[in-house]
Amino acid sequence: MFANELFAGVEMGGTKCVCILGTGPNDVRAVERLPTRAYDETLCGIEGILERWRSQYGKIRALGIASFGPLDLRSQSQTYGFVTSTAKAGWRNSDVAGRLERRFGIPVGFDTDVNGAALAEGRWGAAVGLSDFAYVTVGTGIGVGTVVGGKTVFGMNHTELGHIRVARRAGDSFAGICAFHGDCVEGLASGPAIEARGGMPASKLPMEHPVWSCVAHDLGQLLHTMVLTTAPQRIFLGGGVLNAQTHLFERVQKELTRSLNHYVEAEELETGIAQYIVPPGLGTMSGPLGALALAVDADLGNARRAFTPALIVSQ
Amino acid sequence: MFANELFAGVEMGGTKCVCILGTGPNDVRAVERLPTRAYDETLCGIEGILERWRSQYGKIRALGIASFGPLDLRSQSQTYGFVTSTAKAGWRNSDVAGRLERRFGIPVGFDTDVNGAALAEGRWGAAVGLSDFAYVTVGTGIGVGTVVGGKTVFGMNHTELGHIRVARRAGDSFAGICAFHGDCVEGLASGPAIEARGGMPASKLPMEHPVWSCVAHDLGQLLHTMVLTTAPQRIFLGGGVLNAQTHLFERVQKELTRSLNHYVEAEELETGIAQYIVPPGLGTMSGPLGALALAVDADLGNARRAFTPALIVSQ
């Protein structure tokens, strides 16, 4: 392994960013976290870490950014590489990929945090050998990375399954907290939604609390839609809420089986359900490794959307 | 054009089958329709038409079957090429592709009717040049064919978006008619569901009837989910109900825009919405031409799932 084969990744989350340096899960040279604050402060922090790593470890071949969204990933767009219509204060329409590409002058892979995590599962984790799979994260928000035929789905723009609306559980009248859609899945079952439902942080709610029945139902509905829209061969559930509330796995599995009602005849959905809906193989590292996977793809020229080179300010 | 370059297609619908012979929309040599009755009677009718065409027009290079579902499309499956868990009487677990392949000994492409129609739009219709698009049919059932990165989506099995469940319109308490899911989209807004809602066939309901507000809402919710799950660059709406009720286009467009609430920033969803949700470019021929497109793909070796050759009974 040569020093000039190192890749860097930045997982930009709603509350924190994780920077990672290495070539894969068995060769992580450095990891640093910083809180996600205002746009410029956060980007300066990331740039500082990457500069320091470059001094300390040598050349970085490529950078991957796996970011909260929505993002502009249309290669022809004037605002390619931007975070766009986010509700996150101070981040609306902010350039991320272009700024870092100009600063470091290396290939930059840029995709949603969840698409990155899904790609990492496919490259190094529990989706090796699969062509169609999905990664769901339930935390500050709800996001889904979807791989179809070996590539992340990208049409008019990237996908945003956290904002689909679902059939409501009988008797559940919670209005939802999404600023755009009220009771979309993110509005019903993300960490902040669970806190609004239960009156205390999700981490404090006991597993017997009735809120979890609603959350399991709503996540089961999300998975019902996923099975019928892209038919993943496996679905990974990660993120802060799922990592802490492992009882949700069995409940979500049951909700999905009940809701599909044997319409789709597949062993995965019946006796195989416990192997179908599983935690990510890369565990809590699937997010940062997702950013690293995007760097590897960018270096290989496999970045799905080529970034039009801009003025290089620093090299 | 040589005689031995002819392709045959069979669109198998819930009420009728359409057989087609030719090489594309500008070279259709023959079209014949037959009612979809019991399994064996229907297959015998299709075989008779194809035998007659073979005598009359000469060699058929490949056959495409675009069928109502659900279908088993898993290439390793013992029941590949079967119609599986359909509610349609007498068709449950019936071999379609294998029977016709053994009978005619030519490459057989087999996919859902809606995937075929989507591929035909991509090959010859209003999706030429696009990589990501979808075809929705609203008739006896509701089906969606989805093309992602130029190919129909196939993971654990084919997709079935007609059976996703959606947020209900405020005040709409119709229980839905789907035997599996009650109020899934097909249970709420297919032709039979509209008839159950309105007390008369959809074709007889005036456009002012309040049922259409529910139907537009529910189809708008289906499209909301489609935009967020595969982000099509264009969506085609076809099938008997849409063909007859053209007022639905504008209503569904409005429902979609309202429901997404500007979360996805794309011109397609704002000023461009009338060019985004459109009738199929191949009109009412998109179904039979879908079967023909599957034949062309099978001949090119592009059939997504290779059929394991079985005993050839007749040539």
Side-chain angles (χ1 to χ4, degrees):
Chain A
M1 187 66 59
F2 302 105
N4 66 357
E5 288 183 352
L6 285 180
F7 300 99
V10 182
E11 181 197 18
M12 290 182 26
T15 53
K16 69 174 192 299
C17 296
V18 184
C19 301
I20 183 168
L21 185 77
T23 65
N26 298 320
D27 177 35
V28 174
R29 309 289 178 91
V31 174
E32 290 199 33
R33 290 173 177 76
L34 69 167
T36 306
R37 300 198 201 275
Y39 163 72
D40 192 60
E41 182 183 349
T42 308
L43 269 285
C44 284
I46 291 167
E47 288 163 347
I49 290 169
L50 295 175
E51 290 284 10
R52 185 153 37 78
W53 282 350
R54 196 164 59 171
S55 306
Q56 193 173 345
Y57 296 91
K59 189 181 171 191
I60 295 169
R61 286 183 71 91
L63 172 66
I65 307 164
S67 178
F68 67 86
L71 310 175
D72 186 347
L73 300 180
R74 299 166 299 168
S75 55
Q76 304 305 315
S77 170
Q78 290 295 312
T79 53
Y80 170 89
F82 279 47
V83 172
T84 60
S85 60
T86 181
K88 193 169 173 57
W91 279 84
R92 199 176 163 87
N93 298 322
S94 346
D95 184 13
V96 174
R99 173 167 165 163
L100 293 173
E101 209 250 3
R102 288 190 297 275
R103 174 69 176 262
F104 293 98
I106 55 177
V108 173
F110 186 56
D111 208 329
T112 62
D113 44 7
V114 281
N115 275 346
L119 288 171
E121 288 297 318
R123 182 175 285 281
W124 298 303
V128 170
L130 301 183
S131 59
D132 295 76
F133 51 94
Y135 172 95
V136 180
T137 180
V138 181
T140 312
I142 292 183
V144 181
T146 309
V147 172
V148 166
K151 293 186 175 174
T152 56
V153 174
F154 181 84
M156 179 175 65
N157 209 334
H158 64 79
T159 64
E160 276 285 358
L161 275 82
H163 291 269
I164 68 168
R165 298 184 65 204
V166 291
R168 298 297 302 272
R169 184 169 186 256
D172 178 20
S173 59
F174 178 59
I177 62 158
C178 174
F180 287 92
H181 310 115
D183 64 350
C184 64
V185 176
E186 178 166 303
L188 289 173
S190 61
I194 295 167
E195 180 165 351
R197 283 175 178 276
M200 63 184 90
S203 57
K204 299 257 192 299
L205 285 171
M207 59 178 280
E208 305 76 36
H209 197 287
V211 159
W212 294 120
S213 299
C214 295
V215 171
H217 173 274
D218 299 340
L219 294 177
Q221 286 300 306
L222 169 64
L223 267 56
H224 174 128
T225 294
M226 289 167 60
V227 166
L228 297 178
T229 50
T230 59
Q233 298 161 306
R234 194 166 296 150
I235 298 174
F236 303 100
L237 300 186
V241 172
L242 269 304
N243 294 344
Q245 309 286 336
T246 52
H247 61 94
L248 280 175
F249 279 84
E250 194 179 335
R251 294 166 90 160
V252 171
Q253 289 160 0
K254 282 186 179 158
E255 289 286 347
L256 174 62
T257 300
R258 184 194 55 71
S259 181
L260 287 171
N261 194 24
H262 313 294
Y263 179 71
V264 180
E265 294 190 333
E267 196 186 308
E268 289 91 335
L269 300 170
E270 312 275 345
T271 55
I273 192 80
Q275 290 77 51
Y276 183 63
I277 298 169
V278 294
L282 301 170
T284 55
M285 285 301 281
S286 61
L289 287 169
L292 208 63
L294 293 173
V296 174
D297 280 354
D299 182 57
L300 294 170
N302 287 347
R304 216 184 140 102
R305 291 155 291 287
F307 184 78
T308 308
L311 179 67
I312 292 170
V313 173
S314 149
Q315 167 63 354
Chain B
M1 189 64 57
F2 302 104
N4 68 357
E5 287 183 350
L6 286 180
F7 299 98
V10 182
E11 181 198 17
M12 290 182 26
T15 54
K16 69 173 192 301
C17 296
V18 185
C19 301
I20 184 169
L21 185 77
T23 64
N26 299 320
D27 179 34
V28 175
R29 308 288 178 91
V31 174
E32 289 199 34
R33 289 172 178 76
L34 69 167
T36 306
R37 300 198 201 278
Y39 163 72
D40 192 60
E41 182 184 350
T42 308
L43 269 284
C44 283
I46 291 167
E47 287 162 346
I49 290 168
L50 295 175
E51 290 284 11
R52 186 153 38 76
W53 282 351
R54 195 164 59 170
S55 307
Q56 192 175 348
Y57 296 91
K59 188 181 171 191
I60 295 169
R61 285 182 71 92
L63 172 65
I65 306 164
S67 178
F68 67 86
L71 309 175
D72 186 347
L73 300 179
R74 298 167 299 169
S75 56
Q76 304 307 315
S77 170
Q78 290 295 313
T79 53
Y80 170 88
F82 280 46
V83 172
T84 59
S85 61
T86 181
K88 192 169 172 58
W91 278 83
R92 199 174 163 89
N93 299 322
S94 346
D95 183 12
V96 174
R99 172 168 166 163
L100 293 173
E101 209 249 4
R102 287 189 297 275
R103 174 68 176 260
F104 293 97
I106 54 178
V108 173
F110 186 56
D111 208 330
T112 64
D113 45 6
V114 282
N115 275 347
L119 288 172
E121 288 297 318
R123 182 174 286 280
W124 299 303
V128 171
L130 301 184
S131 58
D132 296 75
F133 50 94
Y135 172 95
V136 181
T137 182
V138 181
T140 312
I142 293 183
V144 180
T146 309
V147 172
V148 166
K151 292 186 176 172
T152 56
V153 175
F154 181 85
M156 179 175 63
N157 208 335
H158 64 78
T159 64
E160 278 284 358
L161 275 82
H163 291 268
I164 67 168
R165 297 183 66 203
V166 292
R168 298 297 303 270
R169 183 167 186 257
D172 178 20
S173 59
F174 178 60
I177 62 158
C178 174
F180 287 92
H181 311 114
D183 65 349
C184 64
V185 176
E186 178 166 303
L188 289 172
S190 62
I194 295 167
E195 180 165 351
R197 283 175 177 276
M200 64 184 90
S203 58
K204 300 256 192 297
L205 285 171
M207 59 179 280
E208 305 78 36
H209 197 289
V211 160
W212 295 120
S213 299
C214 295
V215 171
H217 173 274
D218 299 339
L219 294 177
Q221 286 300 306
L222 169 64
L223 268 58
H224 174 126
T225 294
M226 290 167 59
V227 166
L228 297 178
T229 48
T230 59
Q233 297 161 309
R234 193 166 297 150
I235 297 174
F236 303 100
L237 300 186
V241 172
L242 269 304
N243 294 343
Q245 309 287 336
T246 52
H247 61 93
L248 280 175
F249 279 84
E250 193 177 336
R251 293 166 90 160
V252 171
Q253 288 159 0
K254 281 186 179 159
E255 289 287 347
L256 174 63
T257 301
R258 183 194 55 70
S259 181
L260 287 171
N261 194 24
H262 313 293
Y263 179 70
V264 180
E265 293 190 333
E267 197 186 306
E268 290 90 336
L269 299 170
E270 312 274 344
T271 56
I273 191 80
Q275 290 78 50
Y276 183 63
I277 297 169
V278 294
L282 301 170
T284 55
M285 285 300 282
S286 60
L289 287 169
L292 208 63
L294 293 173
V296 175
D297 280 354
D299 182 57
L300 293 171
N302 286 347
R304 213 183 143 103
R305 289 156 292 288
F307 183 78
T308 308
L311 178 68
I312 292 171
V313 173
S314 148
Q315 168 60 357

